[in-house]
Amino acid sequence: MPAPAPVRFEAYLNSLVNYEHTFPVGGNRGTPKLDPTFSACQRLQLPLDLPNAVHIAGTKGKGSVVLLLEQLLSPELTTLSCSSPHLVSVKERVRLNGNSLADDVWNEGIAEIREQLQREPAVTLTYFEMVWVFYLWVARKFHPQVHIVETGLGGSWDATNVLAKSLAVLTLVDYDHTDILGHTLTEIAADKSGIIKPDSTVVIGRQPAEAAAVYDRACRDRHARACWQGRQFTALPRIGCHFDYADEFGEIPNINLTSAAPHLRDNAVLAIRVARELRPNLPPDEIRGRLRNAVLPGRQQLLPGTPDVLLDVAHNPISFAALGDTLRRDHANRKIAAVVGMMKDKDALASLRPLVGVVEALRTVDLGTPRSLAAGQLAAIASELGIPARPLAQPEAFQWLHESSGAELGLVAGSFYLAGDYLMWRARAGIA
């Protein structure tokens, strides 16, 4: 009998239920539960007690903290990372020392997982759960020294919360996914606090008072050691992109980032604190050098061209507020044209408001998923705010941005999916 054809992992993953694309449009998400992930891990005998596991939850900045930690910790420590969503390829979601794994590794892992889960009684996983189980399969295969894991949604019921122990990192909390996580900051923070393990260390970034009270109580109840930004570690802004950092390990003056955006500085500060927890002897000069050269794809990433384009995965009001601050601070004298697409479960009105008086022309686009807010509806919301807007198909909108908008700075924002689509269009168009 001939050997079975190798599994095409991307085609198989795309056949699974993917709530990132279909929820809430695709129907009832069901009762939050970790049972399917636990069952899959038990059947495959995958490790849940991972060495030096860092588990990150929050509304804003999770992915940036993952990327910065990769650059601060590896290659001195072999580092395996899991983040979502991706920009161009699902392979971005699982990285070893910051690099995507080979297709052969993905095919091998997904094939083994699929075979084991099809045994009776079958275990059914979603797209996100399958990628996370693959991450744990990779952990068993490569035995990395450090694990950096970003939650997908919330914390308590996120599939990644099957981890037995971890150092928790809590980035800034704000209103997002309120239909699932709750309609108050107390409820949202309570869900995210579910990643705090008993007798663990927790690194906590800047928080609104309501969320801080939840985290303080959770740390006390679980006897967790809390390290708060502004208490146990601090950052003092200097001119432009520079800041000074201090914690119990000592001071690091004059750190320089590629952006002066306060939220990116906060993400860097969290990454430094965690990196020093795992590598206490990490030289300050190494920290400075690695952060100075750090590239964060899609996070207010400035791409050179005609015009220059600022690419941002901002997709909720707090992210757009930070984007608006950057545009006003760093690009106040430039004519800015934008291409924006958003999901229908986001607050588009509140998100676009920070662009008023900043963006001179806007083209709205669909995102190619059932969750997408129709381009016409988004254009109407922008027009209501006084931003001149028209709906266009994605390729025509990107072409307009580069060829006929008359912009001195282009902006592409509103979704990870839009950022990925733009990067693929840019590559096809031969723009470096």
Side-chain angles (χ1 to χ4, degrees):
M1 178 180 295
V7 173
R8 297 180 60 84
F9 70 92
E10 287 183 305
Y12 174 66
L13 289 172
N14 289 335
S15 73
L16 303 177
V17 172
N18 186 348
Y19 289 125
E20 295 171 22
H21 282 264
T22 61
F23 182 76
V25 181
N28 190 347
R29 186 170 182 259
T31 303
K33 51 188 175 298
L34 300 178
D35 293 348
T37 306
F38 272 123
S39 296
C41 293
Q42 184 177 32
R43 183 167 295 187
L44 286 146
Q45 298 184 317
L46 297 177
L48 298 179
D49 189 350
L50 302 176
N52 297 315
V54 179
H55 201 188
I56 305 170
T59 305
K60 181 172 177 55
K62 302 188 299 293
S64 295
V65 174
V66 173
L67 292 166
L68 291 166
L69 274 173
E70 284 178 345
Q71 295 176 64
L72 287 171
L73 294 174
S74 62
E76 289 81 2
L77 295 176
T78 307
T79 302
L80 187 66
S81 307
C82 184
S83 62
S84 63
H86 59 267
L87 291 173
V88 176
S89 168
V90 67
K91 290 167 62 178
E92 299 166 28
R93 297 190 181 213
V94 180
R95 300 181 299 275
L96 188 63
N97 288 343
N99 299 310
S100 297
L101 299 166
D103 286 355
D104 288 348
V105 176
W106 277 89
N107 278 322
E108 179 188 356
I110 295 297
E112 180 180 337
I113 296 167
R114 183 182 182 185
E115 178 186 0
Q116 291 295 321
L117 299 191
Q118 286 177 336
R119 289 172 31 217
E120 293 298 332
V123 177
T124 301
L125 300 180
T126 65
Y127 182 103
F128 181 88
E129 290 166 343
M130 179 63 75
V131 173
W132 168 237
V133 170
F134 170 74
Y135 173 93
L136 295 170
W137 181 90
V138 174
R140 185 182 65 188
K141 181 179 180 68
F142 289 103
H143 305 289
Q145 296 167 288
V146 175
H147 295 266
I148 308 172
V149 178
E150 176 189 358
T151 59
L153 177 64
S156 296
W157 301 107
D158 189 76
T160 60
N161 207 30
V162 297
L163 289 174
K165 65 180 182 181
S166 65
L167 183 160
V169 180
L170 297 164
T171 68
L172 183 63
V173 164
D174 203 87
Y175 296 96
D176 202 8
H177 301 293
T178 53
D179 289 342
I180 301 170
L181 303 180
H183 293 276
T184 68
L185 293 182
T186 295
E187 292 174 315
I188 296 169
D191 192 292
K192 295 181 187 298
S193 72
I195 70 168
I196 299 174
K197 300 297 191 289
D199 303 308
S200 64
T201 294
V202 187
V203 177
I204 308 170
R206 285 191 310 109
Q207 302 293 336
E210 204 174 331
V214 174
Y215 292 153
D216 184 57
R217 184 167 56 252
C219 289
R220 284 189 280 107
D221 290 347
R222 297 167 209 173
H223 305 287
R225 166 182 165 240
C227 297
W228 293 84
Q229 183 175 347
R231 302 181 201 172
Q232 284 77 23
F233 61 102
T234 60
L236 179 65
R238 302 178 76 167
I239 296 174
C241 304
H242 298 251
F243 68 94
D244 298 333
Y245 173 89
D247 63 18
E248 65 266 40
F249 296 101
E251 298 181 1
I252 310 177
N254 200 28
I255 297 172
N256 182 18
L257 300 176
T258 57
S259 170
H263 71 287
L264 294 178
R265 181 178 64 241
D266 286 341
N267 297 337
V269 166
L270 286 171
I272 294 169
R273 182 62 191 80
V274 175
R276 280 155 77 91
E277 189 78 21
L278 298 175
R279 289 188 63 197
N281 297 320
L282 181 60
D285 284 345
E286 281 289 309
I287 292 174
R288 289 192 196 91
R290 294 180 186 201
L291 292 181
R292 183 173 57 247
N293 297 317
V295 176
L296 302 178
R299 279 78 173 179
Q300 295 195 8
Q301 182 183 10
L302 192 62
L303 303 171
T306 307
D308 294 341
V309 172
L310 190 66
L311 182 67
D312 197 13
V313 294
H315 55 277
N316 52 30
I318 190 173
S319 298
F320 269 93
L323 174 59
D325 289 343
T326 293
L327 294 174
R328 287 183 170 85
R329 183 186 61 246
D330 298 340
H331 306 284
N333 298 318
R334 306 177 82 175
K335 178 183 177 182
I336 301 173
V339 175
V340 175
M342 296 190 69
M343 297 294 189
K344 65 173 61 177
D345 52 317
K346 304 298 180 181
D347 188 339
L349 184 67
S351 295
L352 292 181
R353 190 170 283 120
L355 303 185
V356 174
V358 178
V359 170
E360 294 190 21
L362 175 64
R363 296 296 180 263
T364 59
V365 296
D366 291 322
L367 299 176
T369 165
R371 279 184 63 202
S372 177
L373 179 63
Q377 288 181 263
L378 187 56
I381 293 170
S383 299
E384 179 184 337
L385 290 168
I387 305 173
R390 284 176 46 200
L392 271 184
Q394 278 195 24
E396 287 80 3
F398 298 148
Q399 190 169 356
W400 165 82
L401 189 66
H402 281 269
E403 296 182 3
S404 55
S405 68
E408 297 167 305
L409 177 71
L411 171 67
V412 177
S415 167
F416 276 85
Y417 301 103
L418 180 61
D421 289 344
Y422 172 72
L423 289 173
M424 289 187 285
W425 177 88
R426 188 179 173 98
R428 289 193 297 269
I431 302 172

